Amino acid sequence: MTRLSLPVQTTLAGALGGVLGFVLAEAFNSAGAGTLLTTILSTAGWTALLMLPLSLTLLAAENTLGLRGRWYRNMGRILLPALLLGALSGALAQVLYSVALTYSSVPPRLVRSLGWGLMGIGVGLVLGLANRSWRGAGRGALGGLVGGLIGGLLFDSFGVLRTGPDDTGTLARLVGLTVLGAAIGFMLRLSHELGKRAWLTGISAGPVEGRQFILAGERVTVGRAPGADIVLERDADVPEHAGQLLLRDGRWQWEGAPVTIDGQVRSSGVLSPGSRVQFGSSVFVFQSRDGAQAGLPLVLLGSEGPVGVPVSARPLSVGTSGAVRLLGPGVLARHATLRWQGGALALQASAPVTVNEERLAPGQTRFLRPGDLLRFGESEYALVRARR
């Protein structure tokens, strides 16, 4: 069965977090009137209870999808920050809302949207700090801000939803918070995808297949131990503490127990875009946007070895009888067509093809980039840059 893409899975996790936040926050919700101070405190408490399950759910998804080990990793670390940042964002949002209503003509909907954006910033910061990555926290804050703004703008649109004449807006809040969580989850993932500079993508069958780990900071540890940055706990051939990936002079390199890098067993070695790295029985493709290999031709890397994708003005058929000849199980004689368009490579499916876990029906087209995972029939290939 084809897995959902990472953005879709993170979006669904955000939606679930919004639902759980609604359930928890509703117990605290108070619609009664009061002084400005009591209103600010009430909003702060409500937002804190909303942000806590949203942050925990997105962290669980990040742990599961990003090879960080147990789904509950670092949850204890973010409990207090999530509550504090949630309360702070709620209090600031209420102050802004009160000031805007009193002293400006800014539409209340925009002010409320900004308030949700503040909460989105808090979610992004919490997730980044959970992984001890200031760069990740910055990207997360930006993604959370945009997601909160979008979700906040949509929030008021659900105000017309009512279960009956006695409904005080419960259904509208449920739908609105679900959409808000989904928007924050999606934009968090998108911000990380756009901001990533180097990453590993699992290409071997099993638990790592299709999983992606973004390399951040200057040191990434690998092993079966729960405290490693990349946790390969299901691979018995990987040591508890296998070693580390280090960023030195702008290039990532491996140091530690012997691993297989591009077919050679090494205890240390520099990784280049397209490098194939094997830890135990888990195989990854290394990709980087900063690599010196830019502009080189592309290859499809599968079980039968690399298959070149030549630069051509003509369409290139892909299959067992194609110009790009793939011989893996389930590959058809004419499975797809590749076209170079303005320096970009586009794939048009002639039979069902999966690109990064997204299934393409015959006739559908997708532009490809290095690091993409493609499945033709039962065979999976990684699109990587050729090495000199």
Side-chain angles (χ1 to χ4, degrees), residues 26 46 78 101 125:
E26 279 299 294
W46 186 82
I78 74 168
L101 285 184
L125 287 174

Side-chain angles (χ1 to χ4, degrees), residues 69-91:
R70 305 299 173 87
W71 62 270
Y72 51 81
R73 179 175 180 174
N74 292 333
M75 283 194 173
R77 185 184 297 169
I78 74 168
L79 289 176
L80 184 58
L83 288 171
L84 291 177
L85 286 175
L88 179 61
S89 64

Side-chain angles (χ1 to χ4, degrees), residues 245-286:
L245 291 161
L246 301 172
L247 181 61
R248 290 179 176 169
D249 298 324
R251 304 192 70 179
W252 285 93
Q253 61 185 61
W254 169 257
E255 287 188 2
V259 299
T260 303
I261 301 176
D262 295 324
Q264 298 183 10
V265 179
R266 304 176 182 176
S267 58
S268 65
V270 176
L271 304 183
S272 300
S275 286
R276 187 167 174 163
V277 188
Q278 182 171 346
F279 307 101
S281 58
S282 303
V283 184
F284 296 85
V285 170
F286 171 79

Side-chain angles (χ1 to χ4, degrees), residues 90-105:
L92 288 176
Q94 185 60 53
V95 170
L96 287 174
Y97 185 72
S98 300
V99 170
L101 285 184
T102 305
Y103 300 104
S104 76
S105 58

Side-chain angles (χ1 to χ4, degrees), residues 150-169:
I150 294 174
L153 287 173
L154 295 173
F155 192 95
D156 282 6
S157 302
F158 306 111
V160 297
L161 298 178
R162 292 286 188 274
T163 57
D166 297 328
D167 187 351
T168 59

Side-chain angles (χ1 to χ4, degrees), residues 183-210:
I184 290 176
F186 175 79
M187 290 308 303
L188 283 173
R189 168 55 59 179
L190 182 60
S191 68
H192 287 299
E193 288 294 320
L194 294 177
K196 67 185 181 183
R197 307 309 307 172
W199 64 98
L200 293 175
T201 303
I203 62 173
S204 57
V208 306
E209 183 178 7

Side-chain angles (χ1 to χ4, degrees), residues 55 109 131 139 163 167 183 243 253 262 322 342 360:
S55 300
R109 183 171 188 169
N131 298 316
R139 287 198 299 260
T163 57
D167 187 351
Q253 61 185 61
D262 295 324
L360 303 184

